[in-house]
Amino acid sequence: MQEHIVVTINGSEYLAEPGQNLLDLINTTDEFFPQICYNESLGPVQTCDTCMVEVDGEIIRACGTKVTTAIEVNTVIETTKKAQKEALDRILENHELYCTVCDYNNGTCEIHNTVAEFGLEHQSRPFQSKSYEEDHSGSFYRYDPDQCILCGRCVEVCQDVQVNETLLIDWEREQPRVIWDNDVPIDQSSCVSCGQCVTVCPCNALMEKPMLGEAGFMTDQSPGLLRSMIDLTKKTESGYGPLFAISDTEASMREERIEKTKTVCTYCGVGCTFDVWTKDRKILKVEPQKDSPANGISSCIKGKFGWDYVNSEERLTQPLIRKDDHFVEVEWEEALTYVAKRFNEIKAEKGADALGFISSSKATNEESYLMQKLSRQIIGTNNVDNCSRYCQAPATKGLFRTVGHGGDSGSIDDIAEAEMVITIGSNTAESHPVLASRIKRSQKLFGQKLFVFDLRKHEMGQRADRFVQPKSGTDLVWLSAITKYIIDQGLENHTFIDKWVNGFDEYKESLNKFTLEYAEELTGISREELIEIATEIVNVERLAICWAMGVTQHQLGSDTSTAISNLLLITGNYMRNGTGAYPLRGHNNVQGCSDFGSMPNFFPGYEEVADEAVRKRYEKAWNAELPEAPGKDNHEMIKAIHEGELNSLFVIGEDTGIVDANINYVTAAFEKLDFFVVQDLFLTHTAQYADVILPAVPSLEKDGTFTNTERRIQRLYKALEPVGESKPDWVILQELANALGHDWSYFHPSEIMDESASLAPLFAGVSYDLLEGYNSLQWPVAADGTDTPLLFSDGFPFEDNKAKLYPLHYQLMYDTNDEYDLHVNNGRVLEHFHEGNMTFKSPGLLREMPTSFIEISPELAEERGIKEGAEIKLISEAGEATGIVHVTDRVSGKELYLPLNSNGKSAVNYLTDNRVDKDTNTPAYKEIAVKMEVIKKKGKSPLLGHNHRRGNRQPQIGVLVENKWDRKDYIFPGNQVKQDG
C-alpha cells in the first residue's frame, strides 16, 4: 500500500498523505496562498474561489481537491494569479474596505490580510452596496449584509459543527444573503446565540455587540460621521497599500489597550477554553481557539456571552459582619480575626466535628485543596463536602464499584467516535451544549446512532434515532432487563469478560428478576422494544453511554449508574476509543472539587481518609494529626444542625439555601447555627443567613485550574483585577489559616498544585509548566507527566487488574398517588445556569428568558382547563411553588417540567423533600409528586416571541455551494481567465 504521494508544488517536491486536502498540503510550504473561505476547523467550503491553483495544466480550487495521485501544482504562474485576483475582486465587490475605522481591524481580518499579502492595490469591480439593512435584533451579535462576502463559514459552522441548523444562504435571490430560518430577523429565528457564526466570520459582517464602537480608536462614532470618515479615507488614499499601512498602525495600537487572556468557562462541565478580550474592565468578546482541547472553535450562549456578572454592581466588595439585624462593612483583618476566634471557640467547646465546610464547584482545584486542608489540618474534622453531593456522587459510586475510577472513560472525542451513543436522563443540548454538538454532528454527518432515554422530548429526544420514555425512576430496570436478555441469548462479549471482568456468575444470577415482562410492567417499555434495543446495542462495535441528573438524582441513583457500567462491561465497551461510561458533570469544576479532596471520606485523588498509610503521608506533610473517621456530607451536615451536633458552617461559592433539597428545612437549619460564614461573589439567598460574608472573586480575576467532565485539567489566567477589596478564594483561605495560628505561605496557585501533586498519586505529574496555554492533562497523570486520555487501556485499577460486575436489586421507592397525582421533573435550560446567580446579571440572557416556567402537556392542560400563560400552584408534601404555564408536547401526560433557574417562588426545591440516594445521600430531586391548583387559567406566555424555541430550523448539509455555481451570473474564475484570454 502506498504510504505517501509525491506532489510537486512550484518546482519543489512534497510528500502527501493519500486523500490529504491539497490546500492543507500547500499550507505546509509556509508560502502565502490566498484562501479566505477556508478554515481549518471547518474544512473546505469552496465558496470564495481565492485558492486557485494549476494542477497538471488545469485551474482548480485547492480546497476542494484531495491528493490521490502524483500531481504537479503551480500557485504562482500568471493564469493562476489572474484567477486568484478575479476571485478577490468579486469579494471586494461585496465587502467595503474601511479598515482603520472598523472594529474588526485587530490583525485578524482575513480579507484585509489576504488583499494586503496579495499586493492588490485597486479592485477592478467597484463595491456594490446591497439592498439589505443591518440586523441588530439579536441580543448578542449583529449582521451587516453589506460587509458579507457570502463565504458561508457561518452556515457551515451552524449546520455542521454546532448543528443548530439555523443559518443558510439564499442563493436564489438576485442579491444572495445569509438568512436565519425561513428568512426572519435573528431574534425571531431558532438561533441559540452560541456565537460560533461570529467566531468563524472572516470579517466584520458578523460581530459581537460589545465590540462595536469599543475596539477601535476611531470607531465610536455616529453612523453618519462614520460614513463620512469612510468616504474621506477612500478619496484620500491612492491605493490599498497606504490604506493598509494606516490601518495596520491603528491595529497595532489596539494591542496596547486590548488584553487577550486564556481562560476556562465558568459554567458547565464541558470545560470550554477561549481567549477573553478585555479593555480596562470591559469584556469585549470571547474567542474560542482551534487548539481548545474540549471545544475547539465551539461555544454556547453562556460561555460566549454570559460574562456580565463579573462587572455586576451587585458584586460584594468588602467583608461584612452581621450586627443585630443588618450587615456592616469591616476590614479584612477584623473579619478574619472574628471568624478565627469563633471557629476556635466552637472547636474548644464542642469539638472539631461541630464545624462543617462546604467547598465550591465554581472555585479552582487549588481552592478545593485548601478548603479540605483547612478542615482537616487546622480544624481537625473530615466534615467537608461539595456540590457533587447534589449531582455526580452516585455516578462516581457506580463507577468505583465496577471499574475503579469515578470519571469519564475517555474524552469528548471518544463520544464523537462512538458508533452508538445512548443518553439517559440528560438534557444534553441545554445542559452541555458544546458536547451535544459533537453528538449531533456525528449523527448528522457520520451516521452515529443516537438513542435517548428521558421523560421529556427535548432537542436530543427530537433528534434521536430512537426516543424512549421510561417511567420515572425505572432506568435500572430496563438497563438490567436488556443486559439479562443479552446474556440469555449468549450475545455477551465472552472474550472481554473472560479476560477483564470478575463476578459474572453471581451477577448473572442477580438478574433473574429482571425479565422482559417485569421490565415492561414497571418501565412502560414494551417487550418488543426492549429486545430491539438490546439487539442494536450488541450489533455495534463502539458504544458510549452518557448520563446526568435524570439518573443520579433518584433514591437509586448509584445503583442505576452501576447498571449502566454493568451493561458496558457485559458488551465489552470499555478499554477502547469510542466506548465507555460518560457521567456528564454539571458545573465547571464539580469534577475537580471532588478530585482535590473536598469530600468527607477522601483525601485528594480519592484515597480514603480511613487508610492509615495514606493518612500518615498527609500527617507528615502537614505536621498534624488527622481524623480517621469519615466526616459528614452536605445532607448529613444539615441534619446534624437540626439535631444540635453541628454548630458552625463555612460555605464557599454554593447557594445551599436554594440548591439543596427541601429549602424550608435547609434554611431552618441555617437559623439554628451558632456561627455561619459564607464566601461568595454576591449576597445570595444563603449569604443572607450568614454571620460573616467574605467577598470572593470570579474566575477572570484569578489564576488556577479547573477539571472538566473528561478529567481534563486546564489552566485559567487572571484577566482582571479584583473588584474593591474582594480576593481569590485561595488567598482568603490562606489568610484565614494564618489567622487560626498556622503559617501557610503560598505565593501562587501553582505552589498549591505542586503540593497536591506531591501527595496524591492521581496527580503525580501535574504541573503548571505542563498546563501552559492551551495544554491540558487528563488524570491519572504519571510522575513523568504522561496523562491518560483513555482510561483502562491496560486494565482496571483493582488488585487483579479486572473490573467487577456488581449485582443489583430493585424496589420501586417512589410514585405518585391519588392526591399527589402529577410528577415534576426538573433540570437546566440553555439560557441560564442553576439558580441564576450569575446568568441573571446578564441583560442579554434575561432578555432571552426573563422568567422561569412550568411545562405541562397539551392533554393535561385540556384536562385542567388551562391555557398558555396560566398561573398554577404546585403543592408537594414538603412545600409549594407557583409559576407560569408553558403548554408543550415536550412533556406528556401527567409529567411536568420545572427548570432549575429560579430562586424565587418557582424554585423547585420548595417542592423537594429529604429523600436521598441510599448510597451517597444525593437528594432525590427528580422524585416529586405534586397536586395542582389553578390560580389563573390563562395569561401571557412565559416563552417570549423571540425565544429560539419558537424558531423553525432549516437542516441542510453545509452551505450548498453547488447552488451558487448553478447561478447564471456565476463564472468559475479559471474559466473567466480563459475567456478573457
Side-chain angles (χ1 to χ4, degrees):
M1 177 179 262
Q2 186 178 16
E3 293 186 1
H4 292 91
I5 298 171
V6 177
V7 175
T8 304
I9 302 176
N10 299 332
S12 299
E13 291 186 345
Y14 297 87
L15 293 179
E17 300 287 338
Q20 184 175 358
N21 183 279
L22 177 57
L23 180 53
D24 286 338
L25 179 64
I26 294 171
N27 286 339
T28 65
T29 67
D30 292 329
E31 293 184 16
F32 165 74
F33 184 62
Q35 47 192 288
I36 289 174
C37 76
Y38 187 71
N39 180 292
E40 186 178 342
S41 298
L42 301 178
V45 186
Q46 302 192 74
T47 52
C48 76
D49 290 339
T50 57
C51 64
M52 295 287 102
V53 294
E54 185 184 85
V55 174
D56 296 339
E58 288 292 319
I59 296 177
I60 60 172
R61 298 179 191 88
C63 73
T65 302
K66 290 184 178 180
V67 178
T68 57
T69 186
I71 52 175
E72 190 162 324
V73 179
N74 200 309
T75 69
V76 294
I77 61 171
E78 184 180 2
T79 52
T80 301
K81 283 293 184 183
K82 284 183 177 179
Q84 294 168 1
K85 181 181 182 300
E86 172 65 22
L88 285 173
D89 277 334
R90 294 179 187 181
I91 286 171
L92 296 181
E93 189 178 15
N94 280 310
H95 180 86
E96 187 174 21
L97 286 172
Y98 53 81
C99 307
T100 308
V101 291
C102 173
D103 282 301
Y104 202 86
N105 185 46
N106 303 295
T108 55
C109 177
E110 294 177 58
I111 298 176
H112 170 114
N113 294 346
T114 302
V115 172
E117 189 75 23
F118 190 84
L120 188 67
E121 282 292 323
H122 302 279
Q123 58 194 84
S124 56
R125 297 168 179 259
F127 167 71
Q128 298 290 329
S129 181
K130 306 178 187 73
S131 58
Y132 307 121
E133 297 293 324
E134 292 183 17
D135 188 343
H136 289 261
S137 67
S139 298
F140 304 105
Y141 67 93
R142 70 98 179 97
Y143 172 58
D144 184 354
D146 250 5
Q147 292 299 92
C148 178
I149 63 171
L150 301 174
C151 68
R153 281 188 185 181
C154 59
V155 177
E156 180 69 32
V157 81
C158 182
Q159 290 286 343
D160 295 342
V161 177
Q162 161 65 19
V163 197
N164 199 59
E165 301 169 323
T166 299
L167 295 181
L168 52 155
I169 295 177
D170 185 352
W171 296 111
E172 303 303 315
R173 295 174 180 232
E174 182 179 351
Q175 291 182 318
R177 62 158 281 173
V178 175
I179 63 172
W180 277 251
D181 283 357
N182 48 343
D183 199 5
V184 296
I186 293 170
D187 75 342
Q188 301 298 311
S189 74
S190 60
C191 174
V192 294
S193 300
C194 68
Q196 292 184 45
C197 57
V198 190
T199 296
V200 300
C201 183
C203 61
N204 62 339
L206 288 163
M207 284 200 68
E208 301 90 344
K209 286 187 174 181
M211 285 281 287
L212 301 176
E214 290 288 348
F217 283 87
M218 295 180 285
T219 56
D220 186 16
Q221 310 294 340
S222 65
L225 179 59
L226 198 62
R227 182 71 257 168
S228 299
M229 293 169 66
I230 293 169
D231 291 340
L232 178 63
T233 302
K234 291 172 69 174
K235 289 177 182 177
T236 303
E237 300 301 346
S238 58
Y240 289 138
L243 175 69
F244 289 155
I246 295 172
S247 64
D248 288 347
T249 300
E250 198 264 355
S252 65
M253 291 168 60
R254 297 183 188 188
E255 295 289 328
E256 297 298 315
R257 66 174 186 170
I258 296 178
E259 297 291 333
K260 301 171 186 176
T261 310
K262 184 254 184 173
T263 193
V264 184
C265 186
T266 190
Y267 287 108
C268 84
V270 172
C272 296
T273 49
F274 27 64
D275 286 350
V276 58
W277 291 30
T278 54
K279 187 179 79 172
D280 300 322
R281 283 203 64 87
K282 292 179 180 177
I283 298 171
L284 301 184
K285 70 183 291 187
V286 158
E287 187 176 50
Q289 306 292 315
K290 65 180 179 63
D291 295 327
S292 300
N295 60 300
I297 58 170
S298 295
S299 53
C300 81
I301 182 173
K302 296 186 292 292
K304 179 79 172 174
F305 299 113
W307 294 87
D308 301 82
Y309 75 93
V310 172
N311 288 318
S312 169
E313 293 182 358
E314 297 177 40
R315 284 275 305 274
L316 296 171
T317 60
Q318 192 80 18
L320 302 172
I321 291 181
R322 182 183 295 279
K323 300 288 177 70
D324 299 323
D325 61 347
H326 63 282
F327 289 106
V328 176
E329 289 188 351
V330 299
E331 297 301 319
W332 273 104
E333 183 178 0
E334 180 180 348
L336 294 173
T337 300
Y338 179 54
V339 172
K341 174 177 174 289
R342 293 295 290 126
F343 279 0
N344 281 331
E345 288 173 348
I346 293 168
K347 178 181 175 181
E349 180 184 352
K350 300 182 178 178
D353 287 338
L355 293 92
F357 298 82
I358 297 178
S359 199
S360 175
S361 61
K362 289 275 165 243
T364 64
N365 290 322
E366 295 76 13
E367 289 161 343
S368 174
Y369 178 85
L370 289 192
M371 185 65 155
Q372 60 87 35
K373 182 177 180 180
L374 176 73
S375 172
R376 293 183 166 116
Q377 180 203 35
I378 297 178
I379 303 300
T381 181
N382 283 320
N383 292 344
V384 59
D385 204 5
N386 72 89
C387 88
S388 70
R389 190 67 48 199
Y390 302 143
C391 54
Q392 87 173 38
T396 302
K397 184 76 171 180
L399 294 176
F400 273 145
R401 285 171 170 173
T402 52
V403 292
H405 276 313
D408 284 5
S409 301
S411 305
I412 294 172
D413 287 344
D414 288 301
I415 300 174
E417 291 171 18
E419 190 177 340
M420 174 189 285
V421 167
I422 296 176
T423 72
I424 309 172
S426 171
N427 180 12
T428 323
E430 298 194 68
S431 298
H432 303 89
V434 169
L435 188 150
S437 291
R438 297 296 300 276
I439 298 173
K440 293 190 287 184
R441 173 178 169 85
S442 292
Q443 182 199 33
K444 180 177 182 178
L445 301 184
F446 308 113
Q448 182 182 82
K449 293 181 179 180
L450 173 61
F451 285 14
V452 172
F453 293 79
D454 215 319
L455 305 181
R456 179 171 172 261
K457 199 169 187 179
H458 43 64
E459 180 186 340
M460 298 306 277
Q462 294 164 4
R463 292 180 178 274
D465 298 291
R466 185 185 289 271
F467 174 65
V468 186
Q469 291 175 292
K471 181 178 178 179
S472 178
T474 65
D475 289 314
L476 186 154
V477 178
W478 68 260
L479 283 160
S480 298
I482 63 174
T483 306
K484 173 177 168 55
Y485 177 81
I486 289 169
I487 294 172
D488 288 347
Q489 301 301 310
L491 300 174
E492 72 272 22
N493 190 325
H494 299 281
T495 304
F496 180 86
I497 294 168
D498 290 345
K499 185 174 182 181
W500 293 113
V501 184
N502 285 325
F504 178 78
D505 292 336
E506 182 186 359
Y507 175 65
K508 179 180 178 181
E509 185 177 345
S510 75
L511 291 174
N512 288 339
K513 177 180 180 180
F514 295 101
T515 64
L516 296 174
E517 292 73 22
Y518 175 77
E520 181 175 26
E521 179 184 352
L522 265 70
T523 68
I525 308 172
S526 72
R527 181 181 188 277
E528 291 73 24
E529 186 164 23
L530 289 167
I531 292 173
E532 290 172 5
I533 294 165
T535 303
E536 294 197 62
I537 285 173
V538 296
N539 283 337
V540 296
E541 286 294 315
R542 300 181 308 281
L543 168 67
I545 302 182
C546 306
W547 71 102
M549 295 185 295
V551 167
T552 59
Q553 292 177 339
H554 286 273
Q555 291 177 81
L556 295 176
S558 293
D559 283 354
T560 304
S561 300
T562 306
I564 292 170
S565 191
N566 284 336
L567 172 60
L568 290 165
L569 288 171
I570 286 296
T571 54
N573 279 293
Y574 276 114
M575 305 182 73
R576 295 176 290 123
N577 288 116
T579 68
Y582 297 86
L584 305 181
R585 305 315 198 187
H587 286 255
N588 59 298
N589 202 42
V590 70
Q591 179 73 54
C593 196
S594 295
D595 293 346
F596 282 80
S598 286
M599 300 190 77
N601 55 334
F602 290 125
F603 285 112
Y606 301 100
E607 293 186 290
E608 294 186 3
V609 297
D611 187 319
E612 184 176 1
V614 175
R615 199 168 58 256
K616 292 295 183 186
R617 186 194 317 145
Y618 280 87
E619 288 180 337
K620 181 179 179 181
W622 292 349
N623 192 28
E625 186 176 335
L626 303 179
E628 62 182 75
K632 296 179 178 65
D633 60 38
N634 289 3
H635 178 76
E636 292 168 334
M637 288 186 209
I638 300 299
K639 182 181 179 185
I641 295 170
H642 279 289
E643 295 175 349
E645 296 177 3
L646 194 82
N647 306 95
S648 177
L649 191 62
F650 182 17
V651 175
I652 292 182
E654 187 65 58
D655 201 355
T656 311
I658 283 290
V659 303
D660 205 344
N662 199 344
I663 291 174
N664 296 324
Y665 178 77
V666 173
T667 53
F670 293 164
E671 292 175 340
K672 293 181 179 181
L673 285 165
D674 293 341
F675 188 57
F676 189 16
V677 182
V678 171
Q679 188 166 301
D680 215 315
L681 307 181
F682 301 106
L683 186 63
T684 63
H685 186 71
T686 302
Q688 293 172 32
Y689 292 86
D691 296 295
V692 178
I693 304 174
L694 304 176
V697 305
S699 59
L700 290 187
E701 295 175 11
K702 60 186 174 184
D703 294 293
T705 62
F706 291 151
T707 304
N708 78 342
T709 189
E710 49 181 357
R711 302 170 286 105
R712 187 183 300 279
I713 304 170
Q714 303 181 102
R715 281 185 68 174
L716 51 137
Y717 294 80
K718 181 179 175 182
L720 300 170
E721 291 299 320
V723 171
E725 294 299 312
S726 61
K727 297 181 179 184
D729 292 292
W730 71 270
V731 173
I732 300 172
L733 288 169
Q734 174 161 279
E735 291 181 355
L736 176 57
N738 293 340
L740 284 160
H742 285 253
D743 185 24
W744 289 5
S745 56
Y746 306 106
F747 292 98
H748 189 267
S750 60
E751 297 173 326
I752 305 171
M753 178 61 79
D754 290 343
E755 180 179 316
S756 181
S758 73
L759 291 169
L762 200 68
F763 316 120
V766 177
S767 73
Y768 270 42
D769 288 343
L770 294 178
L771 297 171
E772 188 73 29
Y774 280 86
N775 294 328
S776 65
L777 295 168
Q778 289 172 268
W779 62 252
V781 183
D784 65 359
T786 303
D787 69 342
T788 315
L790 180 68
L791 288 179
F792 317 126
S793 57
D794 297 320
F796 298 87
F798 295 113
E799 285 187 12
D800 62 358
N801 224 25
K802 291 187 176 184
K804 302 174 181 179
L805 287 165
Y806 191 93
L808 298 167
H809 306 282
Y810 182 81
Q811 179 181 353
L812 184 63
M813 304 180 74
Y814 156 83
D815 211 341
T816 55
N817 55 42
D818 290 342
E819 181 180 3
Y820 298 99
D821 61 331
L822 306 175
H823 174 248
V824 177
N825 187 19
N826 54 85
R828 296 202 168 99
V829 290
L830 178 67
E831 295 87 343
H832 289 293
F833 193 81
H834 223 36
E835 71 288 340
N837 282 339
M838 296 189 297
T839 54
F840 286 177
K841 308 297 189 293
S842 168
L845 294 175
L846 277 176
R847 179 176 181 267
E848 294 301 305
M849 184 173 285
T851 62
S852 190
F853 52 86
I854 301 172
E855 287 187 352
I856 72 169
S857 66
E859 56 268 31
L860 183 62
E862 183 177 359
E863 176 191 309
R864 303 296 166 99
I866 57 179
K867 298 185 181 298
E868 181 78 5
E871 185 177 1
I872 60 174
K873 178 187 290 185
L874 302 179
I875 304 167
S876 73
E877 291 182 338
E880 58 186 48
T882 60
I884 307 300
V885 163
H886 174 50
V887 181
T888 172
D889 59 6
R890 281 190 286 272
V891 292
S892 60
K894 292 188 175 184
E895 287 287 343
L896 282 66
Y897 184 79
L898 177 55
L900 297 175
N901 62 297
S902 176
N903 54 19
K905 62 183 181 180
S906 298
V908 69
N909 285 319
Y910 283 119
L911 302 172
T912 51
D913 58 25
N914 291 339
R915 284 179 292 185
V916 294
D917 170 52
K918 65 183 179 63
D919 297 305
T920 64
N921 282 337
T922 294
Y925 294 103
K926 300 297 188 280
E927 298 181 0
I928 312 173
V930 301
K931 56 186 175 183
M932 177 195 297
E933 287 185 5
V934 178
I935 299 173
K936 189 170 63 173
K937 289 192 172 183
K938 62 180 180 179
K940 185 178 180 181
S941 174
L943 214 61
L944 302 183
H946 60 258
N947 188 277
H948 74 270
R949 294 166 183 80
R950 297 194 182 279
N952 183 14
R953 293 191 179 99
Q954 302 292 311
Q956 63 183 39
I957 303 294
V959 74
L960 302 186
V961 67
E962 295 84 0
N963 293 347
K964 172 184 178 177
W965 300 339
D966 289 341
R967 287 177 60 90
K968 292 181 180 178
D969 59 359
Y970 174 78
I971 302 175
F972 178 64
N975 295 341
Q976 182 79 51
V977 169
K978 291 179 181 177
Q979 181 178 307
D980 293 344

